[in-house]
Structure formats: C-alpha cells, structure tokens
C-alpha cells in the first residue's frame, strides 16, 4: 500500500532501540531511591518510547504514568521558539520522584522550560530521560540523566517521532535529508 512518504535511511533499527530501552529501564529503576516513580511523557512524540520503557520496569517499583503536551515544532522542521502548555499533568508532584520522558532534545528549549515549571512544584527528585540527543544544536544547557542515543543534526522520524503528524508508527528511526513526501 502507498503510504505517501519516502522515509529515508534507517538510522537506528528497532532491535537497537529495544536493547537500549532495556538498558535505560534498568538504570532508571536502580537509580530510583524511593519505591514510587511518576513517569511524565511528553505528548505526542514520547508515547511509544514511554510505553516500551515502563513495561521493562520491575514490579517492585510503583510506576505511575502521566502526560504533558506542549507546543513545539508543529509541522515545520525548525523550532518556532514558542513553548506553551497545552495539557498539564493531573496530579500534584510535590515530594514525588518524577521522571520526564521526551523523544528528542534539540535546542533544549522544550526540556529546560519543562524542568523550570516542574521544579517549581517541589518534587523530591526530577530526572530526565531522552531517547535521542542532537547535542550539536543545543542552545540552552540541560542535564539529561538518561539518554538513548546521540545523533547528528538530521531530521528523524519513526518510533513516535513524526513528520507532519505521520510516520510515528514506524518501528525503526529513519533519517530524512529532506522531507520527501510523494503524491499518494
Ligand atoms: P527542542 O525544544 O529541544 O529544540 O526540540 C524538542 C522538540 O523538537 C521535540 O520534542 C520534537 O518535537 C522536535 N524535534 C526536534 N528534532 C526533531 C526531529 O529530528 N524529528 C522530529 N520528528 N521532531 C524533532
């Protein structure tokens, strides 16, 4: 069936992703001092990563899940610089161990903004877990506690990451040199 997109070359395969997600889940679980962990996924890009990550966490850890949605790229490849909360988490995080799960960090604008707002709510701890790090593009320094892969400055899709809302469902991560939409 014609998808309407050429997806570019595979940058990180599904198998590599799954191996790395296993290792990250182990590290996060062993680095969590309390018995409870609130995992906050950033919609929509982190949904697939988060769902794989939490399912690898041990039963002994009381894992809770919540989501935030903030404005970021929209359909464009370049950041607008505008960061705004579209959906907030539903629970009070004061005194809790919180882990932010994000698909990709680029300029750092999004994550630094989120860290500021969530830190102001006085969690016991606030850590960050990012699947992909484009460190070349960083404009604001951000501490990443758990990182999946460092990648070059290419636009990527798949495993939750989109191009104009599409291609999130791909199991591999693909690099697009140019967004290569073709007529369906
Ligand atoms: P930052 O605020 O760090 O510049 O950007 C983070 C957000 O930009 C991510 O959550 C994601 O929505 C978007 N983004 C940055 N690079 C890429 C990319 O290569 N592919 C896709 N699909 N989104 C990206």
């Amino acid at each position: 069936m014609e998808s309407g997109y050429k997806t570019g070359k595979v940058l990180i395969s599904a198998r590599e992703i799954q191996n790395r997600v296993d290792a990250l889940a182990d590290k996060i679980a062993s680095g969590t001092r309390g018995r409870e962990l609130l995992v906050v996924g950033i919609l929509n890009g982190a949904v697939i990563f988060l769902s794989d990550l939490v399912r690898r966490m041990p039963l002994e850890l009381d894992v809770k899940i919540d989501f935030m949605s903030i404005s970021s790229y929209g359909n464009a490849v370049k950041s607008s610089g505008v960061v705004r909360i579209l959906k907030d988490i539903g629970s009070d995080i004061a005194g809790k161990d919180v882990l932010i799960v994000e698909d990709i960090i680029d300029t750092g604008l999004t994550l630094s903004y989120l860290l500021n707002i969530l830190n102001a709510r006085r969690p016991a701890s606030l850590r960050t877990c990012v699947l992909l790090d484009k460190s070349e593009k960083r404009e604001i320094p951000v501490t990443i506690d758990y990182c999946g892969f460092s990648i070059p400055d290419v636009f990527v899709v798949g495993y939750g990451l989109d191009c104009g809302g599409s291609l999130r469902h791909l199991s591999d991560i693909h690099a697009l040199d140019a967004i290569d939409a073709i007529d369906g």
Side-chain angles (χ1 to χ4, degrees):
M1 202 206 320
E2 181 58 77
S3 73
Y5 285 92
K6 290 181 194 166
T7 50
K9 71 168 195 292
V10 171
L11 189 68
I12 308 170
S13 70
R15 181 180 290 268
E16 288 175 284
I17 297 169
Q18 295 313 320
N19 289 340
R20 192 69 192 121
V21 172
D22 274 346
L24 286 173
D26 279 354
K27 270 194 180 176
I28 293 165
S30 58
T32 305
R33 275 171 303 167
R35 215 187 52 79
E36 270 185 38
L37 180 66
L38 176 65
V39 179
V40 177
I42 310 307
L43 296 171
N44 298 330
V47 164
I48 293 176
F49 176 38
L50 180 146
S51 63
D52 280 346
L53 191 66
V54 294
R55 283 179 295 167
R56 287 166 167 83
M57 291 187 180
L59 180 63
E60 302 77 58
L61 194 61
D62 182 3
V63 176
K64 296 199 166 68
I65 299 172
D66 208 334
F67 292 97
M68 284 184 89
S69 175
I70 51 169
S71 64
S72 57
Y73 273 38
N75 290 346
V77 177
K78 267 195 84 181
S79 174
S80 64
V82 178
V83 178
R84 180 163 74 89
I85 298 183
L86 304 175
K87 182 221 170 290
D88 207 341
I89 45 177
S91 55
D92 182 8
I93 61 167
K96 304 230 168 97
D97 288 315
V98 179
L99 178 74
I100 302 178
V101 175
E102 173 67 308
D103 52 358
I104 185 164
I105 178 167
D106 188 5
T107 61
L109 200 76
T110 310
L111 211 48
S112 84
Y113 176 80
L114 279 167
L115 283 167
N116 282 340
I117 359 179
L118 294 182
N119 260 324
R121 299 178 188 178
R122 306 261 171 251
S125 69
L126 182 59
R127 290 174 290 162
T128 53
C129 176
V130 171
L131 180 65
L132 304 173
D133 180 8
K134 276 189 199 175
S135 53
E136 280 172 47
K137 295 281 295 295
R138 197 77 83 257
E139 289 173 19
I140 303 178
V142 178
T143 302
I144 303 171
D145 299 290
Y146 307 97
C147 173
F149 303 91
S150 291
I151 61 163
D153 180 21
V154 288
F155 192 79
V156 288
V157 294
Y159 199 68
L161 289 128
D162 74 315
C163 175
S166 300
L167 303 176
R168 293 190 197 278
H169 63 295
L170 304 177
S171 305
D172 305 303
I173 292 172
H174 299 249
L176 297 190
D177 293 332
I179 296 172
D180 232 351
I182 56 174
D183 295 333

